[in-house]
Amino acid sequence: MMVLVEGRQFNWREGMTVADLLREVGDPYPYAVVRIHDRVVSRPDFEKVTVPRGSEVYLIPLIAGG
């Protein structure tokens, strides 16, 4: 089974966390939050929250300005 991240497919495995998925994606950007379907997950929870099979995941960068 696969997980869709920003339109790209990645292999899914049982117990995969958001942190595991981000390592798999290999994008070095320090994302503050990700969205899994309609659920928003923040960085402190990346190691705890599992990614459901067949999920669509969106990487949301932190944007600051002044």
Side-chain angles (χ1 to χ4, degrees), residues 2-55:
M2 304 299 275
V3 174
L4 207 60
V5 180
E6 298 291 327
R8 294 175 42 212
Q9 291 187 342
F10 292 89
N11 288 324
W12 176 87
R13 67 180 183 283
E14 187 73 37
M16 175 183 262
T17 65
V18 172
D20 295 333
L21 180 59
L22 289 175
R23 282 189 287 276
E24 182 78 22
V25 168
D27 184 343
Y29 187 85
Y31 291 98
V33 296
V34 300
R35 188 178 68 150
I36 302 172
H37 298 292
D38 291 330
R39 179 179 181 193
V40 175
V41 180
S42 61
R43 177 170 288 284
D45 296 324
F46 285 1
E47 293 287 344
K48 298 181 261 184
V49 174
T50 57
V51 178
R53 177 178 52 198
S55 292

